[in-house]
Amino acid sequence: MALGLTYATSLTLVRMRLAALRHALRDSNRVAWIGTGAFLGLVLAAGTIWAATKGDTDLVAVAVAVWMLGWVVGPLFAGGGDETLKPEYFTMLPLPPRALSGGLIAAALAGVAPLVSLVALLCLVVVGGQLSVGALLISVPAVLLQLLCFVLASRLAVAVYAVLLQVRSGAVLAALVNAFILAFAAQGWALIAAFISTDVQGTIARGARIAPSGWGLVAVEATGRGDWLRVLLAVVGLVVLCAAMFVAWSALLVRRTTAALAGVRVRRQLTAPDARGAAAAKELRTWARDLLYGHRAVFAIAYGLFFCMMPLAVGWKGMLPWAGAAAVVMGGAMFSNLYGADGTAFWSTLMTPRSAQLDIRARQRAFLLVFGPPVLVITLLLTWWSQAGAWPLVLGILPALLGGAAGLIVLASVYAAVPTTDAHKRSGNPLNSGENEGETMGLVYVMLVLVSLTAAPALGAALAWSWWGVPVGLFSGVLAWWYFGRLAAGRLEQRGPELLTLLRHGRTTGEHVDKASLSSKMALLPRWRRYLAGFCLGFGAIPLFPQAVVPAIFLLNAVDAKAWFLALYVEPRWQWPVIIGMALLGLGMYAYGGWTYWQASKLRPEAQHHLQPEPQTP
């Protein structure tokens, strides 16, 4: 009976998942993202299979470990992964936990990502075919068990992460892990170079085989040698591990759908002598008690430290002075949707007369109090440790970034608020902020660029006149803090009711129509042009920043490091032309993508009508 119920539930949920995927494919933008991700995944899968055809089983073990690592950490950066079917949707149904868990796992296997991973795991079949017929046969269940292990590990990681975010120490730990992983994605070349220089490739391969991601390969290789005990241990180990992860995830799923939040006793009343103090105290309480606020603040500061300290693995201290600046830029991006995070709680601010100015300034002061002291200490200590002559640059850029970030976060929060799930309605997965996760991530990417640009006057003054960059940075930071805050307060005073409506009900019908019309207008353009525009907007940062801005800073500061920067590998007379060329390429990619979308947005309705194909009569 239990197995029959689990099978029926799984079949129903798989059908629901496939139906949702079919509906998603009607959106040209979603199709472009899914197609791009699938293409890149298949390219990586082809590389994994190619390594297997060359007989390099060590490389195959490491590649499969990287695939499993992607399954575990990927959802942590993508809003908790794909939760088209949330467990909360089925809490009112009389389903046993095991039946619901089994159905959700089966539905998770019905998607593009598992299919791409299945193609990559065919490398085990290739290895088995090169060894013996028995190894080829054992590779088939090994592939299926390994894929199931990937999906279960991904779901369990998200569930554990969600539990950690519900306690303060866990939120801090999760932020540190998250920051290290993201910094490794950008600066991992230093650690990899250190590993290669110490000749530990064999150690990495052995570690990849010991990890659960390598047990399928171990089973295949052991079959080729006739070591049946090792085959049995590897296969049974995968089965037991999958069962254990399934049971643990089911238990966390029950906790997620049934646990109730306990009341919190107020330890100290919120008192203040005036309205200004009340606004400041309210905002500081929010930063201190909302675990997501604390998580994001720790993440931003830890990311700056990890990003700039990883090059120490190869003995390069040139990035150390910029750890504080990197933390401010990341912090400005992470807190660019303050009113969206408030949700409908914004009504209490809106109903208080003449509160807009006070609330805006209170949010700015809270940001400066949280980020200002730690990033200043980090900057001073690491700049002194690096023994680099970067004091004028650092001391000019840091106040400019702090003031710019404090001004831009409130400006973006008012002008570009993104509706998210209210704090009291958050699901058991705090990573999922609602249906507008894509808009939230888009705002984060834009803010990374905008906050960085606020340092341009101080950077130019410091490069041209050395210590004069410090007063320029102070002046530009104060100006950005004051002027952007003034704009945000004026907008909040005039359009506060509209903002509350947006946060409460989401996009209005007119806004949905405008958004859909842009998608439909883009669909009228040739497919190659749409995809090229998306590619340019997605990858224009690669030639612009790591291949132009960073090597330019290296040359100006006489940094003796090449890493993966193309301009530093050519002859000195060609270095600046390469940097300028890369900068023009990156700016050109952004310009082409933006120009394409701008042209599509200007199409008139009658033009759309004439461009649409005529319906064919049977």
Side-chain angles (χ1 to χ4, degrees), residues 118-141:
L118 179 62
V119 174
L121 288 173
L122 292 179
C123 64
L124 301 183
V125 178
V126 174
V127 172
Q130 294 173 342
L131 296 175
S132 65
V133 176
L136 179 62
L137 294 177
I138 204 68
S139 66
V140 176

Side-chain angles (χ1 to χ4, degrees), residues 257-503:
T257 54
T258 59
L261 296 178
V264 178
R265 183 174 59 88
V266 178
R267 288 173 288 184
R268 185 167 59 88
Q269 295 294 329
L270 182 61
T271 58
D274 53 17
R276 182 174 181 270
K282 183 266 294 184
E283 192 61 25
L284 289 176
R285 289 286 182 92
T286 301
W287 282 78
R289 294 184 177 180
D290 192 323
L291 295 182
L292 282 182
Y293 271 58
H295 167 78
R296 290 167 180 167
V298 173
F299 166 79
I301 295 174
Y303 173 80
L305 287 171
F306 288 138
F307 181 82
C308 296
M309 295 184 72
M310 280 186 180
L312 288 175
V314 292
W316 179 41
K317 298 182 180 180
M319 292 290 293
L320 292 179
W322 306 104
V328 175
V329 172
M330 182 59 71
M334 296 300 294
F335 291 97
S336 56
N337 192 31
L338 293 173
Y339 286 106
D342 281 1
T344 54
F346 171 63
W347 75 269
S348 60
T349 302
L350 181 64
M351 297 302 293
T352 304
R354 297 180 298 277
S355 63
Q357 181 81 15
L358 296 173
D359 191 64
I360 289 292
R361 295 306 184 191
R363 293 177 186 269
Q364 290 182 300
R365 288 195 300 272
F367 180 86
L368 292 176
L369 286 174
V370 170
F371 279 93
V375 299
L376 180 60
V377 172
I378 289 170
T379 300
L380 294 177
L381 290 178
L382 294 185
T383 304
W384 169 78
W385 182 21
S386 68
Q387 296 180 352
W391 287 106
L393 285 171
V394 171
L395 296 181
I397 287 176
L398 187 62
L401 288 176
L402 280 170
L408 284 173
I409 59 170
V410 292
L411 191 66
S413 299
V414 174
Y415 276 86
V418 179
T420 60
T421 305
D422 280 0
H424 66 285
K425 293 183 179 179
R426 289 173 186 166
S427 68
N429 179 13
L431 293 172
N432 193 296
S433 58
E435 299 178 355
N436 301 310
E437 190 68 36
E439 288 186 63
T440 304
M441 293 305 298
L443 182 60
V444 168
Y445 292 141
V446 171
M447 284 291 290
L448 287 173
V449 178
L450 294 180
V451 175
S452 301
L453 290 177
T454 59
L459 177 61
L463 292 176
W465 306 301
S466 186
W467 286 99
W468 280 105
V470 177
V472 171
L474 288 170
F475 176 77
S476 66
V478 172
L479 180 63
W481 170 85
W482 172 79
Y483 183 67
F484 291 153
R486 180 183 177 185
L487 289 179
R491 172 80 172 190
L492 192 63
E493 192 71 41
Q494 296 174 3
R495 305 293 295 274
E498 289 87 341
L499 178 59
L500 178 61
T501 302
L502 172 66
L503 299 179

Side-chain angles (χ1 to χ4, degrees), residues 567 570-580:
V570 300
E571 297 180 7
R573 62 193 178 107
W574 293 108
Q575 288 180 341
W576 281 107
V578 170
I579 289 175
I580 295 173

Side-chain angles (χ1 to χ4, degrees), residues 128-219:
Q130 294 173 342
L131 296 175
S132 65
V133 176
L136 179 62
L137 294 177
I138 204 68
S139 66
V140 176
V143 166
L144 298 178
L145 287 173
Q146 204 73 71
L147 179 63
L148 181 60
C149 183
F150 285 2
V151 177
L152 284 169
S154 177
R155 296 293 176 175
L156 183 60
V158 171
V160 172
Y161 195 88
V163 172
L164 290 177
L165 286 180
Q166 295 174 7
V167 294
R168 195 175 306 279
S169 59
V172 172
L173 177 62
L176 294 175
V177 174
N178 233 359
F180 178 83
I181 293 171
L182 187 59
F184 181 81
Q187 294 283 59
W189 60 268
L191 300 182
I192 294 172
F195 283 143
I196 293 175
S197 63
T198 54
D199 193 23
V200 295
Q201 299 94 318
T203 303
I204 296 175
R206 286 192 296 272
R209 283 182 169 85
I210 294 173
S213 60
W215 293 356
L217 179 61
V218 169

